[in-house]
Amino acid sequence: MRSLPCRPLVAPVLPVLLCALVALGVPGAAAADGPDGSGGTAENTENTGSGGHGGPSASVEVARLYVEAQSATARYEAGRRAAAAQRARVKHLERLLAKERYEVSVLHEDLGRMATAQYRTGGGLPLTARLLLADNPDELLRGRRVVGQADLAVTNTVARTQRAAARLATARRSATRARDVLDRREARLARLKRDIEAKLESARWTLQEEADVSAAAGRCRGAVRLAQPESSSTRAWVTPVESYELSAGFDSAGARWAARHTGQDFAVAIGAPVRSVGAGRVVRVACGGGFGVEVVVRHEDGSYTQYAHLASVAVDQGERVRTGQWVGQAGTTGNSTGPHLHFETRVTPDLGSGVDPVGWLAERGVGL
């Protein structure tokens, strides 16, 4: 007898970075756990290529918005960093300018003290009169030269410091203008990011509602061909989702499952791209039962991987897939209480032959 499939974590922890763009709740349309926790791996009975509420368009829209959200987030973060760096530059220039202005004021005070000292020592008299009255004219002349040289040095230093202060003031004004431009750009990017997130949130749940209809009927809507990301990676194996947080692990026990947990759960948002961890061939596309919408891939080394609780599939049964190719979009179909990917690694295509996905991936050079 086959063991029963898992019932995943009650509330997934939203992943960091882009899969955490919006906090997700579980609406009434999401499929609840079955009364006995049971569920099968019902085979795909029909491959129509379309579904309720307008067919595969929701899948495409979610994928498009997901990519847009990634791009908008990247631009926003870059703009935020640039604005922060410019604000730091303005503060640095303000500190330098304050220092230069302080040095100018000190030098002006030095000039004032020198002028006062000259006056007190007869600096206000004509030089000829001071020479006639001096006890030692040579010493008076030497003192006069020293004072003059000091006066000139201080005057030149004041001039240089004033020029430096003027340059710093100009640089600060320019930096302040650049900071203001970057601040306005950051605000625009933040608004754009929020708008895309709002659209993505709505599209996600439309996609999930369509998936629930298909899963309830046990009739898959067929592959929705999504624009695949370009990749220059030459790795033979990758993680099943790009950004995630791990939730329920393999062989976990608890009230959430009718038997021990048969896979590794990845907490991701609805619509997050799910990718084949390695090259192989799709041997099962199924809807209905405890796993909801699922894909099983046989890899070139004879092992199998399962991707369950999906909101859509992007491949057909019998199709060859490459490492990292999107095979579907994450969701919360079947015996699922929140958006996540249930990922299994097996020695056969069937439930009950699973091995620990963390160790399985580690053997292939992929750490979680």
mmCIF file of all heavy atoms in Angstrom, residues 157-190:
data_model
loop_
_atom_site.group_PDB
_atom_site.id
_atom_site.type_symbol
_atom_site.label_atom_id
_atom_site.label_comp_id
_atom_site.label_asym_id
_atom_site.label_seq_id
_atom_site.Cartn_x
_atom_site.Cartn_y
_atom_site.Cartn_z
ATOM 1 N N THR A 157 47.040 81.894 2.848
ATOM 2 C CA THR A 157 46.319 80.730 3.334
ATOM 3 C C THR A 157 44.825 80.992 3.389
ATOM 4 O O THR A 157 44.004 80.134 3.038
ATOM 5 C CB THR A 157 46.844 80.324 4.723
ATOM 6 O OG1 THR A 157 48.242 80.076 4.649
ATOM 7 C CG2 THR A 157 46.136 79.074 5.221
ATOM 8 N N VAL A 158 44.460 82.199 3.843
ATOM 9 C CA VAL A 158 43.040 82.562 3.877
ATOM 10 C C VAL A 158 42.454 82.515 2.473
ATOM 11 O O VAL A 158 41.355 81.985 2.248
ATOM 12 C CB VAL A 158 42.852 83.952 4.502
ATOM 13 C CG1 VAL A 158 41.425 84.453 4.266
ATOM 14 C CG2 VAL A 158 43.137 83.915 5.989
ATOM 15 N N ALA A 159 43.194 83.031 1.498
ATOM 16 C CA ALA A 159 42.695 83.045 0.116
ATOM 17 C C ALA A 159 42.507 81.629 -0.410
ATOM 18 O O ALA A 159 41.489 81.312 -1.039
ATOM 19 C CB ALA A 159 43.650 83.825 -0.779
ATOM 20 N N ARG A 160 43.510 80.762 -0.144
ATOM 21 C CA ARG A 160 43.391 79.374 -0.608
ATOM 22 C C ARG A 160 42.206 78.675 0.064
ATOM 23 O O ARG A 160 41.459 77.931 -0.575
ATOM 24 C CB ARG A 160 44.690 78.618 -0.313
ATOM 25 C CG ARG A 160 45.843 78.975 -1.232
ATOM 26 C CD ARG A 160 46.933 77.907 -1.159
ATOM 27 N NE ARG A 160 47.424 77.720 0.204
ATOM 28 C CZ ARG A 160 48.412 78.422 0.769
ATOM 29 N NH1 ARG A 160 49.016 79.386 0.051
ATOM 30 N NH2 ARG A 160 48.805 78.169 1.993
ATOM 31 N N THR A 161 42.063 78.908 1.349
ATOM 32 C CA THR A 161 40.969 78.275 2.079
ATOM 33 C C THR A 161 39.618 78.770 1.588
ATOM 34 O O THR A 161 38.661 78.006 1.466
ATOM 35 C CB THR A 161 41.109 78.526 3.584
ATOM 36 O OG1 THR A 161 42.406 78.100 4.015
ATOM 37 C CG2 THR A 161 40.064 77.766 4.374
ATOM 38 N N GLN A 162 39.555 80.055 1.281
ATOM 39 C CA GLN A 162 38.300 80.614 0.759
ATOM 40 C C GLN A 162 37.964 80.016 -0.604
ATOM 41 O O GLN A 162 36.804 79.713 -0.895
ATOM 42 C CB GLN A 162 38.399 82.133 0.668
ATOM 43 C CG GLN A 162 38.333 82.828 2.021
ATOM 44 C CD GLN A 162 38.525 84.311 1.908
ATOM 45 O OE1 GLN A 162 39.235 84.806 1.015
ATOM 46 N NE2 GLN A 162 37.917 85.062 2.817
ATOM 47 N N ARG A 163 39.003 79.845 -1.448
ATOM 48 C CA ARG A 163 38.746 79.217 -2.756
ATOM 49 C C ARG A 163 38.284 77.777 -2.590
ATOM 50 O O ARG A 163 37.385 77.312 -3.290
ATOM 51 C CB ARG A 163 40.015 79.279 -3.618
ATOM 52 C CG ARG A 163 40.374 80.681 -4.102
ATOM 53 C CD ARG A 163 41.409 80.638 -5.213
ATOM 54 N NE ARG A 163 42.688 80.095 -4.743
ATOM 55 C CZ ARG A 163 43.663 80.827 -4.199
ATOM 56 N NH1 ARG A 163 43.499 82.148 -4.041
ATOM 57 N NH2 ARG A 163 44.787 80.265 -3.817
ATOM 58 N N ALA A 164 38.928 77.056 -1.667
ATOM 59 C CA ALA A 164 38.512 75.675 -1.415
ATOM 60 C C ALA A 164 37.075 75.620 -0.912
ATOM 61 O O ALA A 164 36.286 74.762 -1.319
ATOM 62 C CB ALA A 164 39.452 75.021 -0.398
ATOM 63 N N ALA A 165 36.723 76.555 -0.021
ATOM 64 C CA ALA A 165 35.354 76.593 0.493
ATOM 65 C C ALA A 165 34.360 76.886 -0.625
ATOM 66 O O ALA A 165 33.270 76.310 -0.667
ATOM 67 C CB ALA A 165 35.237 77.640 1.593
ATOM 68 N N ALA A 166 34.760 77.779 -1.545
ATOM 69 C CA ALA A 166 33.873 78.098 -2.668
ATOM 70 C C ALA A 166 33.675 76.880 -3.565
ATOM 71 O O ALA A 166 32.557 76.598 -4.016
ATOM 72 C CB ALA A 166 34.453 79.264 -3.473
ATOM 73 N N ARG A 167 34.764 76.135 -3.823
ATOM 74 C CA ARG A 167 34.643 74.926 -4.642
ATOM 75 C C ARG A 167 33.763 73.885 -3.952
ATOM 76 O O ARG A 167 32.927 73.244 -4.590
ATOM 77 C CB ARG A 167 36.025 74.344 -4.926
ATOM 78 C CG ARG A 167 36.856 75.150 -5.902
ATOM 79 C CD ARG A 167 38.044 74.338 -6.403
ATOM 80 N NE ARG A 167 38.933 73.964 -5.307
ATOM 81 C CZ ARG A 167 39.956 74.707 -4.880
ATOM 82 N NH1 ARG A 167 40.218 75.878 -5.457
ATOM 83 N NH2 ARG A 167 40.722 74.281 -3.889
ATOM 84 N N LEU A 168 33.954 73.741 -2.661
ATOM 85 C CA LEU A 168 33.133 72.790 -1.924
ATOM 86 C C LEU A 168 31.664 73.197 -1.924
ATOM 87 O O LEU A 168 30.769 72.356 -2.014
ATOM 88 C CB LEU A 168 33.643 72.665 -0.487
ATOM 89 C CG LEU A 168 34.906 71.820 -0.302
ATOM 90 C CD1 LEU A 168 35.433 71.952 1.118
ATOM 91 C CD2 LEU A 168 34.622 70.352 -0.618
ATOM 92 N N ALA A 169 31.413 74.495 -1.808
ATOM 93 C CA ALA A 169 30.026 74.962 -1.831
ATOM 94 C C ALA A 169 29.379 74.652 -3.177
ATOM 95 O O ALA A 169 28.218 74.236 -3.244
ATOM 96 C CB ALA A 169 29.975 76.456 -1.541
ATOM 97 N N THR A 170 30.143 74.853 -4.268
ATOM 98 C CA THR A 170 29.625 74.541 -5.599
ATOM 99 C C THR A 170 29.368 73.044 -5.735
ATOM 100 O O THR A 170 28.326 72.618 -6.250
ATOM 101 C CB THR A 170 30.625 75.002 -6.674
ATOM 102 O OG1 THR A 170 30.828 76.411 -6.563
ATOM 103 C CG2 THR A 170 30.112 74.670 -8.065
ATOM 104 N N ALA A 171 30.336 72.240 -5.256
ATOM 105 C CA ALA A 171 30.162 70.785 -5.330
ATOM 106 C C ALA A 171 28.967 70.332 -4.497
ATOM 107 O O ALA A 171 28.226 69.437 -4.896
ATOM 108 C CB ALA A 171 31.434 70.095 -4.853
ATOM 109 N N ARG A 172 28.776 70.964 -3.351
ATOM 110 C CA ARG A 172 27.650 70.567 -2.505
ATOM 111 C C ARG A 172 26.323 70.896 -3.169
ATOM 112 O O ARG A 172 25.387 70.107 -3.133
ATOM 113 C CB ARG A 172 27.727 71.266 -1.153
ATOM 114 C CG ARG A 172 26.686 70.771 -0.170
ATOM 115 C CD ARG A 172 26.635 71.591 1.076
ATOM 116 N NE ARG A 172 26.191 72.971 0.793
ATOM 117 C CZ ARG A 172 25.843 73.846 1.741
ATOM 118 N NH1 ARG A 172 25.899 73.520 3.002
ATOM 119 N NH2 ARG A 172 25.459 75.054 1.410
ATOM 120 N N ARG A 173 26.256 72.078 -3.807
ATOM 121 C CA ARG A 173 25.006 72.430 -4.514
ATOM 122 C C ARG A 173 24.721 71.441 -5.636
ATOM 123 O O ARG A 173 23.580 71.006 -5.823
ATOM 124 C CB ARG A 173 25.105 73.858 -5.058
ATOM 125 C CG ARG A 173 25.028 74.942 -3.997
ATOM 126 C CD ARG A 173 24.821 76.317 -4.618
ATOM 127 N NE ARG A 173 25.957 76.724 -5.445
ATOM 128 C CZ ARG A 173 27.031 77.369 -4.992
ATOM 129 N NH1 ARG A 173 27.114 77.668 -3.692
ATOM 130 N NH2 ARG A 173 28.009 77.714 -5.805
ATOM 131 N N SER A 174 25.782 71.072 -6.379
ATOM 132 C CA SER A 174 25.604 70.100 -7.464
ATOM 133 C C SER A 174 25.181 68.750 -6.913
ATOM 134 O O SER A 174 24.272 68.096 -7.448
ATOM 135 C CB SER A 174 26.915 69.965 -8.245
ATOM 136 O OG SER A 174 26.802 68.972 -9.245
ATOM 137 N N ALA A 175 25.820 68.314 -5.832
ATOM 138 C CA ALA A 175 25.476 67.028 -5.225
ATOM 139 C C ALA A 175 24.066 67.050 -4.661
ATOM 140 O O ALA A 175 23.346 66.047 -4.727
ATOM 141 C CB ALA A 175 26.486 66.681 -4.128
ATOM 142 N N THR A 176 23.665 68.167 -4.118
ATOM 143 C CA THR A 176 22.314 68.274 -3.567
ATOM 144 C C THR A 176 21.269 68.162 -4.675
ATOM 145 O O THR A 176 20.235 67.497 -4.512
ATOM 146 C CB THR A 176 22.142 69.601 -2.812
ATOM 147 O OG1 THR A 176 23.090 69.646 -1.731
ATOM 148 C CG2 THR A 176 20.736 69.738 -2.248
ATOM 149 N N ARG A 177 21.553 68.824 -5.817
ATOM 150 C CA ARG A 177 20.632 68.714 -6.953
ATOM 151 C C ARG A 177 20.554 67.266 -7.439
ATOM 152 O O ARG A 177 19.462 66.750 -7.724
ATOM 153 C CB ARG A 177 21.077 69.636 -8.094
ATOM 154 C CG ARG A 177 20.846 71.120 -7.827
ATOM 155 C CD ARG A 177 20.992 71.939 -9.106
ATOM 156 N NE ARG A 177 22.353 71.894 -9.619
ATOM 157 C CZ ARG A 177 23.323 72.743 -9.291
ATOM 158 N NH1 ARG A 177 23.064 73.710 -8.406
ATOM 159 N NH2 ARG A 177 24.525 72.647 -9.804
ATOM 160 N N ALA A 178 21.713 66.606 -7.532
ATOM 161 C CA ALA A 178 21.720 65.208 -7.951
ATOM 162 C C ALA A 178 20.969 64.327 -6.947
ATOM 163 O O ALA A 178 20.239 63.406 -7.329
ATOM 164 C CB ALA A 178 23.160 64.717 -8.097
ATOM 165 N N ARG A 179 21.134 64.615 -5.668
ATOM 166 C CA ARG A 179 20.411 63.863 -4.642
ATOM 167 C C ARG A 179 18.909 64.031 -4.803
ATOM 168 O O ARG A 179 18.144 63.068 -4.695
ATOM 169 C CB ARG A 179 20.831 64.331 -3.255
ATOM 170 C CG ARG A 179 20.137 63.627 -2.107
ATOM 171 C CD ARG A 179 20.208 64.445 -0.838
ATOM 172 N NE ARG A 179 19.522 65.729 -1.014
ATOM 173 C CZ ARG A 179 19.614 66.734 -0.150
ATOM 174 N NH1 ARG A 179 20.366 66.630 0.933
ATOM 175 N NH2 ARG A 179 18.959 67.865 -0.376
ATOM 176 N N ASP A 180 18.474 65.268 -5.058
ATOM 177 C CA ASP A 180 17.043 65.522 -5.227
ATOM 178 C C ASP A 180 16.488 64.752 -6.425
ATOM 179 O O ASP A 180 15.382 64.197 -6.369
ATOM 180 C CB ASP A 180 16.785 67.020 -5.386
ATOM 181 C CG ASP A 180 17.092 67.796 -4.119
ATOM 182 O OD1 ASP A 180 17.153 67.165 -3.040
ATOM 183 O OD2 ASP A 180 17.273 69.024 -4.198
ATOM 184 N N VAL A 181 17.263 64.720 -7.527
ATOM 185 C CA VAL A 181 16.841 63.972 -8.714
ATOM 186 C C VAL A 181 16.714 62.489 -8.385
ATOM 187 O O VAL A 181 15.731 61.829 -8.747
ATOM 188 C CB VAL A 181 17.833 64.188 -9.874
ATOM 189 C CG1 VAL A 181 17.534 63.225 -11.027
ATOM 190 C CG2 VAL A 181 17.765 65.628 -10.376
ATOM 191 N N LEU A 182 17.710 61.958 -7.680
ATOM 192 C CA LEU A 182 17.678 60.543 -7.320
ATOM 193 C C LEU A 182 16.545 60.236 -6.344
ATOM 194 O O LEU A 182 15.916 59.172 -6.425
ATOM 195 C CB LEU A 182 19.017 60.128 -6.716
ATOM 196 C CG LEU A 182 20.180 60.006 -7.710
ATOM 197 C CD1 LEU A 182 21.490 59.818 -6.974
ATOM 198 C CD2 LEU A 182 19.940 58.860 -8.685
ATOM 199 N N ASP A 183 16.279 61.144 -5.425
ATOM 200 C CA ASP A 183 15.172 60.935 -4.485
ATOM 201 C C ASP A 183 13.836 60.867 -5.219
ATOM 202 O O ASP A 183 12.982 60.031 -4.905
ATOM 203 C CB ASP A 183 15.140 62.048 -3.437
ATOM 204 C CG ASP A 183 16.243 61.896 -2.402
ATOM 205 O OD1 ASP A 183 16.816 60.802 -2.306
ATOM 206 O OD2 ASP A 183 16.534 62.882 -1.694
ATOM 207 N N ARG A 184 13.660 61.767 -6.201
ATOM 208 C CA ARG A 184 12.413 61.749 -6.983
ATOM 209 C C ARG A 184 12.324 60.469 -7.810
ATOM 210 O O ARG A 184 11.241 59.861 -7.915
ATOM 211 C CB ARG A 184 12.340 62.974 -7.887
ATOM 212 C CG ARG A 184 12.122 64.290 -7.143
ATOM 213 C CD ARG A 184 11.741 65.408 -8.084
ATOM 214 N NE ARG A 184 12.798 65.741 -9.002
ATOM 215 C CZ ARG A 184 13.767 66.637 -8.755
ATOM 216 N NH1 ARG A 184 13.799 67.250 -7.575
ATOM 217 N NH2 ARG A 184 14.699 66.909 -9.642
ATOM 218 N N ARG A 185 13.464 60.033 -8.371
ATOM 219 C CA ARG A 185 13.468 58.786 -9.148
ATOM 220 C C ARG A 185 13.149 57.603 -8.242
ATOM 221 O O ARG A 185 12.386 56.704 -8.626
ATOM 222 C CB ARG A 185 14.834 58.588 -9.802
ATOM 223 C CG ARG A 185 14.944 57.306 -10.618
ATOM 224 C CD ARG A 185 16.259 57.266 -11.384
ATOM 225 N NE ARG A 185 16.384 56.047 -12.161
ATOM 226 C CZ ARG A 185 16.987 54.945 -11.731
ATOM 227 N NH1 ARG A 185 17.523 54.921 -10.523
ATOM 228 N NH2 ARG A 185 17.058 53.875 -12.492
ATOM 229 N N GLU A 186 13.712 57.596 -7.051
ATOM 230 C CA GLU A 186 13.432 56.513 -6.109
ATOM 231 C C GLU A 186 11.946 56.453 -5.771
ATOM 232 O O GLU A 186 11.351 55.376 -5.693
ATOM 233 C CB GLU A 186 14.248 56.716 -4.837
ATOM 234 C CG GLU A 186 14.044 55.631 -3.795
ATOM 235 C CD GLU A 186 14.775 55.912 -2.499
ATOM 236 O OE1 GLU A 186 15.470 56.943 -2.424
ATOM 237 O OE2 GLU A 186 14.632 55.117 -1.548
ATOM 238 N N ALA A 187 11.330 57.626 -5.576
ATOM 239 C CA ALA A 187 9.896 57.660 -5.267
ATOM 240 C C ALA A 187 9.069 57.134 -6.439
ATOM 241 O O ALA A 187 8.094 56.396 -6.245
ATOM 242 C CB ALA A 187 9.479 59.083 -4.914
ATOM 243 N N ARG A 188 9.457 57.502 -7.681
ATOM 244 C CA ARG A 188 8.738 56.997 -8.862
ATOM 245 C C ARG A 188 8.873 55.479 -8.973
ATOM 246 O O ARG A 188 7.896 54.778 -9.261
ATOM 247 C CB ARG A 188 9.270 57.664 -10.138
ATOM 248 C CG ARG A 188 8.875 59.119 -10.297
ATOM 249 C CD ARG A 188 9.092 59.587 -11.731
ATOM 250 N NE ARG A 188 10.477 59.441 -12.147
ATOM 251 C CZ ARG A 188 11.420 60.369 -11.989
ATOM 252 N NH1 ARG A 188 11.118 61.508 -11.389
ATOM 253 N NH2 ARG A 188 12.650 60.154 -12.415
ATOM 254 N N LEU A 189 10.085 54.972 -8.749
ATOM 255 C CA LEU A 189 10.296 53.537 -8.835
ATOM 256 C C LEU A 189 9.520 52.800 -7.746
ATOM 257 O O LEU A 189 9.014 51.691 -7.971
ATOM 258 C CB LEU A 189 11.787 53.221 -8.714
ATOM 259 C CG LEU A 189 12.651 53.608 -9.914
ATOM 260 C CD1 LEU A 189 14.128 53.425 -9.600
ATOM 261 C CD2 LEU A 189 12.269 52.790 -11.146
ATOM 262 N N ALA A 190 9.420 53.408 -6.573
ATOM 263 C CA ALA A 190 8.649 52.789 -5.490
ATOM 264 C C ALA A 190 7.173 52.696 -5.866
ATOM 265 O O ALA A 190 6.516 51.673 -5.610
ATOM 266 C CB ALA A 190 8.826 53.576 -4.198
#
